[in-house]
Amino acid sequence: MRPQDVIRKKRDGGQLTKEEINLFVRGVTSGEMADYQASALLMAIFLNGMNDDERLALTEAMLHSGEVLDFSDVPKPKVDKHSTGGVGDKTSLILAPLAAAAGLAVPMISGRGLGHTGGTLDKLEAIPGFRVNLTLAEFRQTLERIGYAMMGQTGTIAPADKKLYALRDVTSTVESIPLISASIMSKKLAEGLDGLVLDVKTGGGAFMKSETDAKALAEALVGIGRGAGVRTVALITDMNQPLGRAVGNRLEVIECVETLRGRGPRDLTELSIELTAQMLIAGEVKKEIEDARDVVRNLLETGAGLEKFRELIEAQGGDAGVIDDYTRMPPAAHEEDLLSESNGYVAKIEAEMIGVASMLLGAGRVRVEDEVDKAVGIVLNKKIGDTVRCGESLLRIHYNGAEKLDEAKQMLRAAFRFSEEKPSPQKLIKAVL
Amino acid sequence: MRPQDVIRKKRDGGQLTKEEINLFVRGVTSGEMADYQASALLMAIFLNGMNDDERLALTEAMLHSGEVLDFSDVPKPKVDKHSTGGVGDKTSLILAPLAAAAGLAVPMISGRGLGHTGGTLDKLEAIPGFRVNLTLAEFRQTLERIGYAMMGQTGTIAPADKKLYALRDVTSTVESIPLISASIMSKKLAEGLDGLVLDVKTGGGAFMKSETDAKALAEALVGIGRGAGVRTVALITDMNQPLGRAVGNRLEVIECVETLRGRGPRDLTELSIELTAQMLIAGEVKKEIEDARDVVRNLLETGAGLEKFRELIEAQGGDAGVIDDYTRMPPAAHEEDLLSESNGYVAKIEAEMIGVASMLLGAGRVRVEDEVDKAVGIVLNKKIGDTVRCGESLLRIHYNGAEKLDEAKQMLRAAFRFSEEKPSPQKLIKAVL
């Protein structure tokens, strides 16, 4: 079996066998398959697709290119959540402590933000001292002791994904459902999970703009998860406006703490409850979703989730005092409101433009190697459906340098659309697969 | 404009501009575009195709990656022929001297055989002393003095084609009409032609098995030629059995000399006359095809074509005595007839199997670097439509070593199909575009 025979088969629309997919993934990591052969195959996969069996085989080959964690000695159901990313999407910080408080073990390996979307690790690092670069031993210890642990990707997990992603990035083969889903699932399955809840975002601020595309990705992800023997459920959720009100690392941590106190924005609270409840179902802690939701609501009321978060911050070297005194996370030097020039209802908030504006302020990255300013960001005072009067604040900008402030403000203003009639409400959770 | 943007555009089915195609071709040769980007684009072109304008732009970019010959000071119409290759396809050796004798200048740059198909250069080298590695100055001199010259590819002509072909070969992106046609035409247009006749083979022994595919390739080639301002015509011709009777370098040279003497096999003679006549039309030496055919028939009768061939052999350092004494080309050590085990009519001769058997005897190459045995080969005694009796010779095998003789004989026998009824005759020339 030669690399070019595998390429030819996929080029002609054939179905690759497990062995052929293994040759590809092993070949790419070992150098046995040249990059120019791998990229030709990537393009053939991009254009001709992969069926369920191929996607599972690709995921498993990528998974087994590196270390697979084994938490079978942790006597709790191991369940994680993965989101495809959006603007103001901060549910991980809320649901992980809630799920841990409800008896799950959540071994959460997360990423950093890039472009208009934020990343869990950047948010955690807004907390002074918080360490995301744990050793695997520390990660395991924290998971056992607290019930959850949060760290960044290690080089030993799914190295084939790193190599393939770099190649996809420069050969315009990123936006492919089989390649995206195998990339996501190879890293998640490496966590040694019993259950997995996927939050597939759809809308202007999401990777998948249309609900059809989001559904196709969700189906691919669920197919892989279940094929690999992990109880997997996917929610398709709205990303037509930022989730919650805060965008920017420190501001989002504050919003998470408020939400864990039961004082969070309605949409963020609702989605966090739903995702956590689905985790409890996936972990077989509860059988009925309404029971699971009640458990989560109760944890919010009693503050048990917030206490878990406090324990985690301490366990990972952070200053847990931030929970009671937000100024222990250094705030931005300046704040300024963006005032409405219109009357009426907020009809639309382009989430991607809010994300880009936040990035311009320094909260996000253009390139992987860029530094992030934890303090800066945006807090929305109006969301879709709210009434607004001329001169009222649409949002508050937290900034340090003023270099790109005007550009950011222009973009923020352009992100808002107004209407005279109240827009019809959009469903936050569009489907459960 | 980044390479990945060009890849993305073709991936999404877009039409590339001249500038984008230039970036690709220049980038591939300069290294500005990485091989893994080029191969992703090649696969996108393979799967999404290219339209007329793109094919012309690709050809011209490849053409101008190297030297373009200029024979504008040679006061004759410059016309060449190109064949897509087949088994026993030896018309170049016949039509080039005929066309030169009729007043054309034929600057013919040819290739070597690979796989089951033979190459003009290997055939010419069966003549002791014949030099195909001319300098460009020698090539020009010979063209001016004799009216034609025959040489191999130089490194300075269309270097992008060499680089791209090497990449296509290992990434399974060879069989693509835009890529094939640009490869062929970039090399032919580098000859500085006024006219070009294309012989696109179709059938079991050809690269294009189906007439539909052959027609699509022919249309692409003609479109590029005419787009580049060269009078171009394409013939679609039959390759369901070997052309003529001889397969193997020395044996084919002998058959060419016999044909130039007017004693050649009917099909080879007919096709050589037609191709030469079309060259005279393309070169505007004649207006009417029937007049052009008469000119060529007359050159065969008077032996003027053969005399041109003799002049060329002498001009390029070969022993012209071979024309009158075939033994001056060393024959194979052994000959053996393959006898029929059937009675009836020859219904089919699988040209590809004849070509592979000839390669097994040593007449062709498996790899580019293989040496070729000029003496060995096959002479068919029966062709499609001939009656055959059990015990009669189907063909004569000329061989040196006996190592692969049995394998070759098995394949040769398997190439023949017999029928009780006379098969309906197939057209040799299927279409003229």
Side-chain angles (χ1 to χ4, degrees):
Chain A
M1 188 166 49
R2 299 174 312 156
Q4 49 267 58
D5 299 328
V6 180
I7 300 169
R8 177 182 305 269
K9 193 173 180 187
K10 181 46 69 186
R11 179 197 82 185
D12 296 341
Q15 180 186 338
L16 301 184
T17 65
K18 226 171 175 164
E19 289 68 36
E20 289 163 338
I21 288 170
N22 283 340
L23 173 91
F24 165 49
V25 174
R26 261 205 325 268
V28 160
T29 16
S30 71
E32 193 190 338
M33 188 172 198
D35 283 356
Y36 49 78
Q37 293 178 314
S39 65
L41 182 54
L42 287 169
M43 183 57 79
I45 293 170
F46 188 104
L47 290 171
N48 287 338
M50 277 187 148
N51 69 12
D52 286 359
D53 292 342
E54 290 174 291
R55 289 193 293 244
L56 179 57
L58 178 61
T59 306
E60 292 193 325
M62 287 165 65
L63 169 66
H64 293 295
S65 73
E67 187 167 14
V68 180
L69 305 183
D70 179 3
F71 297 121
S72 54
D73 55 331
V74 179
K76 290 175 180 172
K78 271 68 66 180
V79 181
D80 194 10
K81 182 229 58 162
H82 176 81
S83 158
T84 58
V87 180
D89 180 16
K90 53 191 81 75
T91 61
S92 289
L93 271 65
I94 302 163
L95 59 81
L98 288 170
L104 297 180
V106 185
M108 192 178 267
I109 299 179
S110 303
R112 297 197 176 271
L114 188 61
H116 70 279
T117 63
T120 298
L121 301 181
D122 297 319
K123 293 168 197 175
L124 289 170
E125 285 179 345
I127 301 165
F130 197 101
R131 286 177 48 228
V132 298
N133 295 318
L134 304 185
T135 65
L136 279 178
E138 290 172 322
F139 186 66
R140 172 182 296 273
Q141 236 173 30
T142 308
L143 180 69
E144 281 172 354
R145 200 156 58 81
I146 317 283
Y148 82 112
M150 303 183 92
M151 69 180 286
Q153 248 341 301
T154 74
T156 59
I157 288 177
D161 176 64
K162 196 167 183 175
K163 170 75 187 172
L164 280 174
Y165 189 83
L167 207 49
R168 286 164 60 204
D169 192 35
V170 290
T171 58
S172 291
T173 49
V174 169
E175 308 92 329
S176 151
I177 283 180
L179 299 175
I180 294 169
S181 53
S183 170
I184 291 173
M185 294 303 285
S186 63
K187 289 180 290 188
K188 282 290 134 182
L189 296 179
E191 294 174 352
L193 300 175
D194 302 306
L196 175 62
V197 175
L198 296 156
D199 182 6
V200 180
K201 301 289 189 192
T202 181
F207 189 64
M208 293 291 168
K209 307 287 178 208
S210 81
E211 212 170 315
T212 312
D213 287 349
K215 200 165 169 231
L217 176 59
E219 280 168 357
L221 294 168
V222 166
I224 293 168
R226 292 179 187 163
V230 173
R231 285 183 298 277
T232 309
V233 64
L235 278 64
I236 297 179
T237 72
D238 185 66
M239 187 34 72
N240 279 306
Q241 62 179 335
L243 185 64
R245 297 183 176 275
V247 179
N249 303 291
R250 170 183 180 271
L251 298 169
E252 293 191 46
V253 171
I254 295 171
E255 189 168 82
C256 289
V257 173
E258 290 294 304
T259 303
L260 284 166
R261 285 205 163 96
R263 305 191 302 218
R266 208 175 42 79
D267 59 348
L268 177 61
T269 304
E270 180 191 340
L271 184 57
S272 299
I273 291 172
E274 190 63 26
L275 290 170
T276 317
Q278 291 287 358
M279 289 171 77
L280 297 182
I281 301 287
E284 295 184 317
V285 165
K286 286 286 162 192
K287 277 219 166 114
E288 300 298 330
I289 188 71
E290 199 41 62
D291 292 350
R293 288 184 194 126
D294 284 342
V295 169
V296 183
R297 286 189 197 109
N298 188 51
L299 293 169
L300 283 174
E301 275 167 32
T302 61
L306 186 61
E307 284 318 298
K308 267 289 160 217
F309 188 34
R310 190 188 303 273
E311 287 175 45
L312 183 86
I313 296 174
E314 281 166 1
Q316 296 198 198
D319 174 9
V322 299
I323 287 176
D324 304 302
D325 178 3
Y326 299 148
T327 64
R328 295 176 80 145
M329 294 186 281
H334 312 283
E335 296 183 22
E336 183 180 329
D337 280 308
L338 186 76
L339 305 182
S340 177
E341 297 171 347
S342 310
N343 290 307
Y345 290 94
V346 176
K348 210 171 179 186
I349 306 177
E350 289 288 359
E352 186 161 348
M353 294 171 89
I354 303 287
V356 172
S358 167
M359 186 177 69
L360 287 174
L361 295 174
R365 287 180 189 79
V366 181
R367 285 173 301 266
V368 178
E369 61 274 18
D370 291 347
E371 281 286 320
V372 160
D373 184 340
K374 310 296 185 210
V376 300
I378 290 147
V379 179
L380 298 172
N381 290 316
K382 297 288 178 184
K383 294 201 62 174
I384 294 175
D386 289 348
T387 53
V388 63
R389 286 188 319 277
C390 198
E392 256 194 305
S393 171
L394 294 172
L395 53 85
R396 193 167 185 83
I397 304 169
H398 298 243
Y399 66 100
N400 278 319
E403 306 85 40
K404 294 195 177 167
L405 181 63
D406 282 342
E407 200 183 335
K409 277 162 79 174
Q410 271 183 12
M411 188 164 283
L412 289 167
R413 189 170 294 285
F416 277 79
R417 294 273 184 291
F418 304 94
S419 63
E420 290 187 10
E421 292 191 8
K422 191 174 168 72
S424 52
Q426 294 192 25
K427 266 186 149 176
L428 177 61
I429 296 164
K430 293 172 182 291
V432 178
L433 274 76
Chain B
M1 188 167 48
R2 300 173 312 158
Q4 48 268 55
D5 299 328
V6 180
I7 300 170
R8 177 183 305 268
K9 192 172 180 188
K10 180 48 69 185
R11 179 198 83 184
D12 295 341
Q15 180 188 336
L16 302 185
T17 63
K18 225 170 176 167
E19 290 66 38
E20 288 163 339
I21 289 171
N22 283 341
L23 174 91
F24 165 49
V25 173
R26 262 206 325 269
V28 159
T29 17
S30 71
E32 193 191 336
M33 187 173 198
D35 284 357
Y36 48 78
Q37 292 178 315
S39 66
L41 182 53
L42 287 169
M43 183 59 80
I45 292 171
F46 188 103
L47 291 171
N48 286 338
M50 276 188 150
N51 70 12
D52 286 358
D53 292 342
E54 290 174 292
R55 290 194 292 245
L56 178 57
L58 179 61
T59 305
E60 293 193 326
M62 288 166 65
L63 168 66
H64 294 296
S65 73
E67 187 167 15
V68 181
L69 306 183
D70 179 4
F71 296 123
S72 54
D73 55 333
V74 179
K76 290 175 181 173
K78 273 67 68 179
V79 181
D80 194 9
K81 181 229 57 162
H82 177 81
S83 158
T84 58
V87 180
D89 180 15
K90 53 191 81 77
T91 60
S92 290
L93 272 66
I94 302 163
L95 60 81
L98 288 170
L104 297 179
V106 185
M108 192 178 265
I109 299 179
S110 303
R112 298 196 176 271
L114 188 61
H116 70 279
T117 62
T120 299
L121 301 181
D122 297 320
K123 293 168 198 175
L124 289 170
E125 285 180 344
I127 301 165
F130 196 101
R131 287 174 50 226
V132 297
N133 296 318
L134 304 184
T135 64
L136 280 179
E138 290 172 321
F139 187 64
R140 173 183 293 274
Q141 234 173 31
T142 309
L143 179 70
E144 281 172 354
R145 199 157 57 82
I146 317 284
Y148 82 113
M150 303 183 89
M151 69 181 286
Q153 242 350 295
T154 74
T156 59
I157 287 176
D161 176 63
K162 196 168 184 175
K163 171 75 187 174
L164 280 174
Y165 189 83
L167 207 50
R168 286 165 59 204
D169 192 37
V170 291
T171 57
S172 291
T173 48
V174 169
E175 309 90 332
S176 151
I177 283 180
L179 298 176
I180 294 168
S181 54
S183 170
I184 291 173
M185 294 302 285
S186 64
K187 289 180 290 189
K188 282 289 134 181
L189 295 180
E191 294 175 352
L193 301 175
D194 302 307
L196 176 61
V197 175
L198 297 156
D199 182 6
V200 180
K201 302 288 189 190
T202 181
F207 189 65
M208 292 291 167
K209 308 287 180 207
S210 81
E211 213 170 314
T212 312
D213 287 349
K215 201 165 168 230
L217 176 59
E219 280 169 356
L221 294 168
V222 166
I224 292 169
R226 292 179 188 164
V230 173
R231 285 183 297 276
T232 309
V233 64
L235 279 65
I236 297 178
T237 73
D238 184 68
M239 187 36 70
N240 279 306
Q241 62 178 337
L243 185 64
R245 296 181 175 278
V247 179
N249 302 292
R250 170 183 180 270
L251 298 168
E252 293 191 47
V253 171
I254 295 170
E255 190 168 79
C256 289
V257 173
E258 291 293 306
T259 304
L260 285 167
R261 283 204 165 97
R263 304 189 305 219
R266 208 173 43 79
D267 59 348
L268 178 60
T269 304
E270 181 191 339
L271 185 56
S272 300
I273 291 171
E274 190 62 25
L275 290 170
T276 317
Q278 292 286 359
M279 288 171 78
L280 297 183
I281 301 288
E284 295 185 314
V285 164
K286 287 286 162 192
K287 278 220 165 111
E288 299 298 330
I289 187 73
E290 199 41 63
D291 292 350
R293 287 183 196 127
D294 283 343
V295 169
V296 183
R297 286 189 198 109
N298 188 51
L299 293 169
L300 283 173
E301 274 168 32
T302 61
L306 187 60
E307 283 319 298
K308 267 290 161 217
F309 189 33
R310 190 188 302 271
E311 286 175 46
L312 184 87
I313 297 175
E314 281 167 0
Q316 296 199 200
D319 175 7
V322 300
I323 286 177
D324 305 302
D325 179 2
Y326 298 146
T327 64
R328 295 176 80 146
M329 292 185 282
H334 313 283
E335 296 182 23
E336 184 179 328
D337 281 308
L338 186 77
L339 305 182
S340 176
E341 296 170 346
S342 308
N343 288 309
Y345 290 93
V346 177
K348 211 172 178 184
I349 306 177
E350 289 287 0
E352 185 160 348
M353 294 172 88
I354 303 286
V356 172
S358 167
M359 187 177 68
L360 288 174
L361 295 172
R365 289 180 187 79
V366 181
R367 284 172 301 266
V368 177
E369 61 274 18
D370 291 347
E371 281 286 319
V372 159
D373 185 340
K374 310 296 185 208
V376 300
I378 290 148
V379 178
L380 298 173
N381 290 318
K382 298 287 178 187
K383 294 201 62 174
I384 294 175
D386 290 348
T387 55
V388 64
R389 288 187 318 277
C390 200
E392 255 193 308
S393 171
L394 293 173
L395 55 85
R396 193 165 185 84
I397 304 169
H398 297 244
Y399 66 100
N400 279 318
E403 306 85 40
K404 295 196 176 164
L405 182 62
D406 282 343
E407 201 184 332
K409 278 161 77 175
Q410 272 182 12
M411 189 162 283
L412 289 167
R413 191 171 291 289
F416 277 78
R417 294 275 183 290
F418 303 93
S419 63
E420 290 186 10
E421 293 191 8
K422 191 173 168 70
S424 52
Q426 294 192 25
K427 266 185 149 177
L428 177 61
I429 296 164
K430 294 172 182 290
V432 178
L433 273 77

